[in-house]
Amino acid sequence: MTPAAIEPVELTMDSAPPRRQGRVKRLLIVLAPPLVTLGVFIGIAYLVSYVILSPDRRWLLPPPHDVVKNGLLNRQHLHDQLSALWDTAQVSLAGLAIAFVIGAAVALAMSQAKWVERSLYPYAVIVQVTPILAIVPLIATWFGYDFTARVVVCVLIAVFPIITNTLHGLLTVDTQLHDLFKLHGAGRIKRMLKLQIPHAIPDVFVGLRVSAGLSVIGAIVGEFFFRQGTPGLGRLLDLYRAYLQTDLMMSTLLFCCALGIASFLAVGLIGRQLTKHWYEEDNR
Amino acid sequence: MSVDAPVGDRGAGSVAGLDEVLAFRSAGKVFADGTEAVRDVSFSLRQGEFLAIVGPSGCGKSTLLRMASGLSPLTSGMVDRSVRNVGFVFQDATLLPWRTVQRNVELLAELDGLKRSQREALAAEAIRLVGLQGFEKHYPKALSGGMRMRASVARALTTKPPLFLLDEPFGALDEITRGALNEELIRLYVSQGFAAIFVTHSISEAVYLSSRVLVMTPRPGRIVAEVAVPFGYPRSPELRFDPRFSSIAGEVSQALRQGYE
């Protein structure tokens, strides 16, 4: 009999790779329910398309395989949608980046003095609660209807969550830590750079995750209502609507969703990578 | 809030009493909202003396330490401090979650503007003193509560302060870890020879650690009793079972109860 090897005892928690079997099982637990739901919805779509709608009205809800065939497998249509996706992705990404810069700057200014916060916060709220569609005509008048105007819509819709979450992160630093820094002569700037900004990073990403989705919405809604300029996903939706091409509208919708989800996941991933050492992992 | 509190910071050795590091003279504090936190507190602390302050929650113990460090300006009386450098250990470990243990312990030296090589040397020594070798590259989240507190103490040790202010540092820990850290603190106290004010609401902790216990009343905090603890250092954990230990603890307990009346 060979002597059993003594396993090294791990003192910390950041080890122990999950066993593969457990991983597959977990993946299944996560993926199975939404997939079943998807199946049910596809079934309902077929039911409505073939049973409830008469053939001459079937275009109202085309069967899912038509959406795939005409929208995703047709070279020309796929090309139109992919180039529209690229256009919209650029707009929403630029909008998110600018919203981040403006939002973070406003939050930093607010964190420095209560009067700055009091002066700016009501207007941030107003920007947030004003329906974006109500501002679109004005934006079109000022900025036209192409890239710049679309980005402005994205910024307006995406900036608020970044402001509030960043501000929350900057202001919730433990007073004991402020005390410690003060005891060692750290003034406002030093505390901001070495204490408040790093402390706010997880909150910044909470805001960014919300804003990433909002920025995509802004890009699509903006061009949908501008009705002019290079065709992004919103313009394309409007065009297909004009020709009553519901199957293509639906496939374009899929691209809209994909862009929103990708944007949300990408920001989440970056945030998790940056802060993965900071906090206890959730108990699985 | 300003850092410049009316604390007499006159450079070493200029306080009235011989070898006093800190003296409260009728010090009082009323907050802006009118709450009176501390009233007419007078006591002094000699070099290398370990003083414990016991009182119920909300009696102004923490405020007292903030007054001693200069973080909280007084509204009456005086605080004389003959040493500039103060080591503050808080209720929570207050480590920065985005820094490793090593970088957390280096923090104060970094704020004081020391060079990298000096910082690293100071941190290495402090980490060794609290027994955290091997955990330098760990992030705080990977440490237990007790180990986080050790890192916090190490951080304060890097500046080699002649005066330590400890604000219920082990209050959030379990009894066993707390006992272990009390012994560690005694060991550090004996080897480093700093003066310390240790604020706690545990009578046995106060008696075990200190050579003098001040008893405070509920808000506004006043000192109602001073109990001497005549045991020498170093102290062993068995001391807690000594009958003399119990009688001193009883004395403190009685003074605490009187404070309520």
Side-chain angles (χ1 to χ4, degrees):
Chain A
M1 207 173 83
T2 51
I6 297 166
E7 299 239 354
V9 177
E10 281 290 343
L11 281 166
T12 59
M13 298 180 277
D14 53 0
S15 58
R19 270 168 291 158
R20 189 174 300 157
Q21 206 183 359
R23 207 168 190 165
V24 169
K25 200 175 167 189
R26 256 209 319 273
L27 209 65
L28 210 67
I29 290 171
V30 172
L31 287 182
L35 284 177
V36 170
T37 316
L38 181 68
V40 170
F41 275 115
I42 289 175
I44 292 173
Y46 274 114
L47 189 77
V48 173
S49 202
Y50 283 117
V51 181
I52 296 178
L53 293 173
S54 55
D56 57 317
R57 295 176 70 222
R58 191 156 291 150
W59 62 270
L60 281 173
L61 186 68
H65 65 263
D66 274 358
V67 174
V68 173
K69 195 177 81 190
N70 300 336
L72 306 179
L73 300 179
N74 178 302
R75 270 184 87 88
Q76 182 57 45
H77 291 157
L78 184 65
H79 174 264
D80 288 349
Q81 291 170 82
L82 283 177
S83 77
L85 175 70
W86 174 234
D87 198 73
T88 304
Q90 285 174 298
V91 170
S92 65
L93 196 64
L96 183 65
I98 294 171
F100 167 68
V101 172
I102 294 176
V106 168
L108 277 175
M110 284 179 172
S111 74
Q112 286 306 295
K114 202 76 193 163
W115 66 266
V116 180
E117 188 185 337
R118 290 210 188 96
S119 321
L120 295 179
Y121 199 78
Y123 299 101
V125 173
I126 288 172
V127 166
Q128 171 67 8
V129 298
T130 307
I132 197 72
L133 298 181
I135 321 178
V136 165
L138 205 54
I139 293 171
T141 313
W142 288 341
F143 300 102
Y145 41 76
D146 258 320
F147 191 76
T148 312
R150 294 175 186 184
V151 169
V152 169
V153 175
C154 291
V155 172
L156 284 177
I157 204 172
V159 78
F160 187 75
I162 295 174
I163 295 177
T164 48
N165 284 287
T166 307
L167 185 62
H168 178 260
L170 292 170
L171 294 182
T172 50
V173 174
D174 192 336
T175 49
Q176 296 175 359
L177 273 169
H178 273 293
D179 282 352
L180 187 69
F181 274 66
K182 281 183 200 164
L183 275 177
H184 288 266
R188 275 164 176 272
I189 304 287
K190 211 170 198 176
R191 274 183 282 141
M192 183 150 106
L193 293 176
K194 286 193 188 261
L195 183 57
Q196 289 174 284
I197 290 179
H199 181 267
I201 286 176
D203 297 282
V204 171
F205 274 92
V206 171
L208 274 174
R209 270 208 319 242
V210 177
S211 294
L214 287 175
S215 186
V216 170
I217 293 173
I220 292 166
V221 167
E223 54 184 86
F224 188 86
F225 280 85
F226 285 135
R227 294 197 160 173
Q228 288 175 74
T230 49
L233 290 172
R235 275 273 283 147
L236 208 57
L237 276 172
D238 195 37
L239 285 173
Y240 290 149
R241 188 187 57 94
Y243 296 105
L244 298 179
Q245 289 170 298
T246 38
D247 45 356
L248 296 183
M249 285 172 74
M250 289 181 138
S251 62
T252 307
L253 217 50
L254 290 178
F255 282 105
C256 294
C257 295
L259 180 58
I261 291 168
S263 188
F264 177 86
L265 288 181
V267 170
L269 194 71
I270 296 169
R272 256 199 312 287
Q273 281 302 312
L274 277 177
T275 61
K276 66 179 171 191
H277 293 302
W278 297 19
Y279 299 103
E280 307 267 2
E281 304 208 347
D282 297 337
N283 289 323
R284 295 229 168 93
Chain B
M1 197 190 297
S2 163
V3 189
D4 307 305
V7 169
D9 210 353
R10 300 169 184 167
S14 66
V15 172
L18 263 179
D19 68 60
E20 277 178 3
V21 279
L22 183 76
F24 274 62
R25 307 187 200 288
S26 305
K29 171 86 187 178
V30 182
F31 287 116
D33 65 1
T35 318
E36 189 177 12
V38 173
R39 181 187 290 173
D40 193 26
V41 166
S42 297
F43 69 88
S44 64
L45 183 72
R46 288 188 315 279
Q47 260 176 38
E49 188 187 9
F50 204 121
L51 179 73
I53 299 179
V54 185
S57 299
C59 73
K61 295 178 303 233
S62 299
T63 309
L64 213 63
L65 288 192
R66 287 172 52 86
M67 288 157 80
S69 68
L71 281 166
S72 183
L74 317 186
T75 46
S76 62
M78 274 284 283
V79 171
D80 273 321
R81 202 176 72 220
S82 67
V83 291
R84 187 166 202 87
N85 183 12
V86 175
F88 212 126
V89 181
F90 298 93
Q91 277 167 5
D92 307 306
T94 59
L95 300 175
L96 304 177
W98 55 90
R99 286 179 173 229
T100 59
V101 167
Q102 170 77 25
R103 300 259 300 126
N104 260 298
V105 175
E106 281 179 28
L107 176 74
L108 303 183
E110 187 182 318
L111 291 175
D112 290 343
L114 296 190
K115 273 185 283 180
R116 196 196 177 110
S117 56
Q118 287 173 295
R119 292 201 310 250
E120 284 173 356
L122 285 170
E125 191 195 340
I127 286 172
R128 188 180 53 75
L129 279 171
V130 300
L132 273 183
Q133 305 102 305
F135 291 91
E136 289 89 345
K137 294 203 164 65
H138 286 66
Y139 284 83
K141 79 151 193 207
L143 304 182
S144 66
M147 288 162 90
R148 283 178 204 165
M149 212 59 230
R150 281 169 201 264
S152 187
V153 171
R155 181 176 65 191
L157 280 169
T158 54
T159 66
K160 301 189 190 300
L163 170 61
F164 258 87
L165 304 174
L166 302 113
D167 187 0
E168 289 182 39
F170 311 140
L173 302 175
D174 61 86
E175 199 58 39
I176 296 165
T177 312
R178 187 177 194 158
L181 283 179
N182 279 339
E183 284 167 51
E184 294 263 345
L185 186 59
I186 293 257
R187 204 171 46 71
L188 284 172
Y189 169 63
V190 171
S191 70
Q192 307 296 304
F194 45 75
I197 302 182
F198 191 99
V199 160
T200 176
H201 49 235
S202 157
I203 294 170
S204 103
E205 189 173 55
V207 175
Y208 179 67
L209 290 172
S210 72
S211 57
R212 191 152 55 105
V213 180
L214 300 182
V215 180
M216 286 183 81
T217 61
R219 177 167 285 177
R222 284 167 296 123
I223 292 173
V224 282
E226 182 179 322
V227 179
V229 184
F231 306 118
Y233 295 91
R235 295 176 179 177
S236 77
E238 285 73 41
L239 182 63
R240 292 175 195 269
F241 308 112
D242 191 306
R244 287 173 300 162
F245 186 95
S246 311
S247 84
I248 293 166
E251 209 178 315
V252 173
S253 171
Q254 202 167 8
L256 262 174
R257 251 175 289 138
Q258 273 165 5
Y260 273 107
E261 284 156 12

